[in-house]
Structure formats: structure tokens, C-alpha cells
Amino acid sequence: MQKMAVSTYILGISCFYHDSAASLIKDGEVLAAAQEERFTRVRHDSSFPINAIKFLLRQANITIEDIQIVAYYDKPFITFERLLESHLATAPKGLQLYLKTIPVWLSRKLDIKSEIKRNLKSLRKNKRSKLPELLFSAHHQSHAASAFYPSPFHDAAVLCVDGVGEWATTSLWQGHDTKLTPIKELHFPHSLGLLYSSFTQYLGFKVDSGEYKLMGLAPYGRPKYAKKIRDELIDLKDDGSFRLNMTYFGYLESTQMIHSKFTQLFGQPCRKPETRFSEFHCDIAASIQEVTNQAMIRLASHARSVTGQKNLTLAGGVALNCVANTQVFQKAGFEQVWIQPAAGDAGGSIGSAYLAWHQHLKQPMKKKDKDQMQGAQLGPDFGREQIFQAVTASNLVYEELSDSDLTEQVSNELVKQSVVGWFQGRMEFGPRALGQRSLLGDPRSPSMQDQMNLKIKFRESFRPFAPSVLAEKAADFFEEPSISPYMLFTAKVKKSTAAEPGQSLNDQRKSLTSDYPAITHVDTSARLQTVDKDISPKYHQLLESFFKKTGCPMLINTSFNLRGEPIVCTPQDAINCFMNSNIDVLVLENFVIHKSRQTDPVYHKYQQDLAPD
Amino acid sequence: MTIFKRLFHYWKLFGKTVFHGLALILLVFTFYMVLTPLGWLRRKFSKAPVQLNLDPEAKSYFLTSHPESNDSMTTPY
Ligand SMILES: [Fe+2]
């Protein structure tokens, strides 16, 4: 008799630094992945991803006993060595940082094995069952694996650029079949990610989360200080390798990213959070973005000449910078560029799991012709029954529609300038909402940007929203758009003219001319998401329906959450968000809920609060 | 009974304070008496892995990567 083949489940984990996350692969295929923050509702939660793991087990309908391997995305001993070496290099400076980090490391982070085991034990049904084997991959190796293995390529150059892992801050790899060979690297403290974060702090944004705001501010300025940055702060070589002049930076021996020498260099103090942006701030943002672009283009070009590959894959936090990615795509000479959608540390969990499969278990690569991330739709979904219960428990007046009626009615609402909370299928893995947990609006409207910012997200923002566009129509509306399913590239909006930098942010936004002002930045660029029929059929249908009515094949797509919150995960999260904001229509799968039709006054509280303007 | 409970509470508080105080003294001691001289020696006599100097003449700052060994995933180092 033939023995029944048992599937191999590998659980990948990333945690304790930034966004913690867990991923599950079964026989080499990604089954599910999610960030812990979505479950705990704590933004950028870095604690052990116990809730994400519980979800993975539920999704695969298995228990922790069915998992053969748990793979952790970092080598904690080497990271600790790097911390000690940093202190050796700077002592007697750095006592404060030492007192802050060393106790946490000695008591918890160093003994990560016990920490992981303790958590896994709490998931066991049978207290005597054996725990899965525990493996560790290096930080950049995990990033590289997350970029290469799920990419559509069997051969590619791989470039990873982030803040810091153990030692590496930048690494260059060659991927061939299941082999991922490291070629070159740069080490801490010389880091493009930390350079960018230093400027993030200088401009009064939060480090590790405000980087995208810095990128969004850049088009308002001129890169006047790029030369100064290149002359003083970073020695960038022709091959993209670089070192930072550490006399300007504080992160090696203190809890601050920058020294006073840094602010003196530019002649202005750090911007205070929530204060106005001056021309200077915009120019600084434009300058550091320019230097980042240059470094990324050089690194990628070097990767091409060293590996001779025509495809490039990217990961690491810096690969979330869609402006730099676009420059790389246009100028580094590769035919195709693919980027891991969870390019930050969350994605390390997928990379680590893949490494356990291909490198540790030496399993062959299956033939692949498209990317393996499934549109990043790897999180939980919710059935009709669960949604029905949530809706009725919250006392909501609703309709339930067929797919075609649904897209017809929702596109009508969008034409009528309603803001729609769109909750469909499996939650996205990675930082972007891609039409599974999105707020949608009409991009043609000049007032829609303010409306969505002020009435729903309760923030003022200088950044335009991102558009989702029918993939097959993208070229009619954007100049040379790349395939951008994960919102990681930009493209110029056709028939638009840029504003002149130098004026106030508001004046620049006013002087921009575009048929789609809500999604066009002042330099006429947009961070587009191209929507494929195969990957997101329902969302594609909605866009098509909107296109038929308006001739516009795109919608504003912003993440479904309030200011300071993680993106919604469950129907209940979505209902809470609907209740606490001015979303006009909530769509939970095929349930449609209109704010105006609600009889419970609790749903109208916010409309009254904001009524005067 | 309650008086003992209260006494015990203060005793525990006292213990905690002493523990944290001692830990702090020990940490500061290791920093200045162990780490600082070691750091000085490290910088003086060996090639430290944390490189702080710029080299304007160099053509590249890249370091050559070393492939991980086959069983590298089994250890946290
Ligand atoms: Fe990283």
C-alpha cells in the first residue's frame, strides 16, 4: 500500500523590531500571511504575532502540531554582537542607549528561542506534543528570499535595502532556481534607510512610519540641498556603495537619529510636528529623495552589471519608496522589476519560511509564470454568516445584493460623490490597501481629497490619494505606467501640468491642472495600483462599471482606517470605522449599508459634528 | 493580618528598588570599566567591524558577502 503523502507546513515569523507578522507556506506555496497589528489594533505592533499565527492555523484548518518548521527572520545573536560592537566603537559615549537597550536584550531578545517556544507551547492542544523545529535565517537573507522566491522569475538580480538587519544594510544577490547567492553588501552604520529616517526625523515626522510623508512632501520642493547632502553626509560611489559621515548622525550611540551638527549644516532646527511646511522643508524633502533615487539607481545598475540579469527583484523598507522604485525601473536597465509587496520587515516572515523550504529542506522550485503573492490577498476573509451577524448585532439597516447589482449600485454612489468603505475577500498583506480593505472615492472631484481627509480620516494632508486603475486602461491615462499591482511605482498623469515649486503647498495644489486632481501630485505623478481582472475580479468589475458611467477607469483608493489606526481586519472593525466617521456607504462583501438610511442615531453623530462646513 | 500584608508590600517594594538600583550600578560599571577600555583596545589594535572613516579615494565600499553554510538555519548566530 502506498503511504499517504503528508503536507509540509512551514511557519515564518518576524517580530520584536518593527511590524511583526507571520506567514504560512504549505509544500512551498504561500497559504496565508498577516501582520499582528491588524488583530491587536495597535499600529506597528512588534510583539510576538500570536494572533496572526492563530489566524494562519484557522485558515489552513490545522493545529500547531501539524507544523514541521518555524522559521524566524533574523539572527538575534549577530544583531546583539552588532549592538556591542557599536558600543565598543563609540564608548565612553552612548551610556544612555546602552542602559535602554542592553537590559531588554539580556532579559528577552537574546533568548529568542525560549520566547518563541513559550508562545508556541501556549498554542498546543496536547501538552505533551513535540514543538516544531526552530530555524533562523539572516535578516537580509530573509528579505532577499521574500523578493526572489515569490517573484515571477526563475533568474533575477536581488537588491535589498533597509535600515539595518544584523550587520547588513544593503545587499546584492543572484537568484537562480532555488539558489540565492549573496554577492556584495554594506554594513551598519552606513544605511540608506537610516539616512532617510534621519531626514524623516529632521522634518518632524515619526521615524519608521513617517517616511512615506517625507516622500509625499518631496514633489513640492526643489532638490537644492542634494549637493550638500552628497558632499557632507554621504560618500556615494559610482557603483552605489556608500558610507555616511557619522559625525552628523546620532543613532550609533544615542537615541536620537541626528546630531546638532546636522541641523547646523542646513541652518535650521528640526521642524516641530504639526507645524506649517516652509519652502525650506519642501526643498530638504526633495533633496534627500533625489539622493535616495541616485543611490538606488546606481545600486541597481551595479546589480545588473555584476549579475548580467535582465530581471530585478527588490525588498527591504527602502523598496517601499515608490518614487525611487520608478527611477530604478526607468534608469537601471532592467527589463522587469518585481517588488515584494510586504517589502518591510513583515515580509521577512515569508522569506524565512521560503528559505526553510528551498534551502534547508532542499525542495525544488515549482514552475511559475506569475508572482506567487496572489495580489497580497493572504489575510482573513469572512463568510456571509459572519457578516450577517456583525451587521444585525450592530443594528444596521442593510441590503444584500448580487455581484452585478452590487457593482452597479456602488458605482452609482461613487458618481454621486459618496465615499465608500469597500470590504471584500481576504485582507492584504503588507502596508497598502489594494481593494480588499479600501476607502473609495471619485478621483475627478477637486474637493474629494479634502473631503476624504477631513471628514473620514480626520487629518489634514498634503499628499494626494493613490488611484486604482483598470490595468488594461492604464496606458491611456498614464505616461509609461509599469505593471504596478502593489502600488509600488508611480507614473505621470497624462494631460496634466505640474505646479511651480516655491509657492505654498496650497497654492501649488491649486495651480496644478489635472482632470483627476484628487490623485495627481503637484509634479503630475500618481502612485498607481493597476487592477487585474484575474487577481481582483470584483474590484475590477466595480472599476469597469465606474468607467462605463464616467469614462474614468480609476478610483481613489486609500486604506480603510481612521487616523492612527491599523487598516480594518474584521467586519466589526469596518463597522466601527463606519460608525466613527463620515463614510457614506459601507460595503461588506455583498451587504450594502447606507449611512443616510440608518435609524440608530449613533451612526449620525459625526455628520452632525462636522455639519457647519 | 493587614499590618503584615502592608509590611510585606513595603518589603517587596524595598527589594525591587534595591534590585533595580544594583542592576543600574552594575550596568554603569560594566559600561565604563569593561566596555570603554575594551573599545579603546579594539580601536587601537584590531580592525573593528564598525568602520567610521570615509575614504574619498576608494572606488567602492562594498564588502564581499560570504554564502551561508548548509546548516546555517539551525542556529540563531
Ligand atoms: Fe529589514
Side-chain angles (χ1 to χ4, degrees), chain A residues 331-402:
Chain A
K331 295 178 181 164
F334 285 98
E335 281 175 23
Q336 294 182 79
V337 178
W338 187 85
I339 305 167
Q340 162 59 239
D345 280 4
S349 62
I350 277 197
S352 194
Y354 265 116
L355 284 163
W357 177 250
H358 288 307
Q359 300 220 343
H360 187 77
L361 296 179
K362 303 194 170 50
Q363 293 297 320
M365 178 83 76
K366 289 198 183 102
K367 206 164 164 47
K368 52 182 182 179
D369 51 2
K370 56 179 187 207
D371 97 57
Q372 307 293 300
M373 290 299 290
Q374 305 153 39
Q377 299 165 21
L378 297 169
D381 58 356
F382 297 86
R384 189 196 168 273
E385 198 50 38
Q386 286 162 297
I387 292 173
F388 174 76
Q389 273 174 16
V391 167
T392 45
S394 297
N395 232 347
L396 286 158
V397 180
Y398 68 91
E399 288 176 274
E400 196 180 355
L401 303 173
S402 69

Side-chain angles (χ1 to χ4, degrees), chain A residues 156-159 172-174 183 239 296-312 328-329 331-337:
Chain A
V158 183
L159 178 62
L172 208 162
W173 306 67
Q174 164 121 299
I183 301 170
D239 62 1
M296 286 298 283
I297 294 167
R298 287 184 191 192
L299 282 167
S301 306
H302 187 62
R304 189 177 53 81
S305 62
V306 171
T307 63
Q309 293 292 337
K310 53 185 202 297
N311 301 320
L312 174 70
V328 164
F329 176 63
K331 295 178 181 164
F334 285 98
E335 281 175 23
Q336 294 182 79
V337 178

Side-chain angles (χ1 to χ4, degrees), chain A residues 238-283:
Chain A
D238 289 340
D239 62 1
S241 66
F242 58 86
R243 273 192 194 166
L244 304 183
N245 182 344
M246 290 308 294
T247 58
Y248 289 99
F249 300 91
Y251 57 81
L252 190 58
E253 78 278 358
S254 76
T255 50
Q256 292 298 310
M257 294 297 291
I258 52 178
H259 281 316
S260 54
K261 194 177 164 190
F262 185 104
T263 54
Q264 281 155 18
L265 177 68
F266 296 107
Q268 291 214 26
C270 290
R271 174 181 161 267
K272 295 224 161 52
E274 311 295 322
T275 56
R276 274 173 50 93
F277 295 101
S278 66
E279 191 181 337
F280 170 76
H281 297 136
C282 300
D283 291 342

Side-chain angles (χ1 to χ4, degrees), chain A residues 75 88 136 185 235 239, chain B residues 43 51 60-61 65 72-73:
Chain A
K75 297 260 190 181
L88 288 177
F136 299 84
E185 58 198 65
D235 181 14
D239 62 1
Chain B
R43 293 193 291 264
Q51 280 298 313
S60 175
Y61 285 125
S65 302
S72 70
M73 286 190 79

Side-chain angles (χ1 to χ4, degrees), chain A residues 18 73 139-140 143 162-165 316-317 343-345:
Chain A
H18 303 292
Y73 86 127
H139 190 105
H140 267 238
H143 276 313
D162 69 353
V164 59
D345 280 4

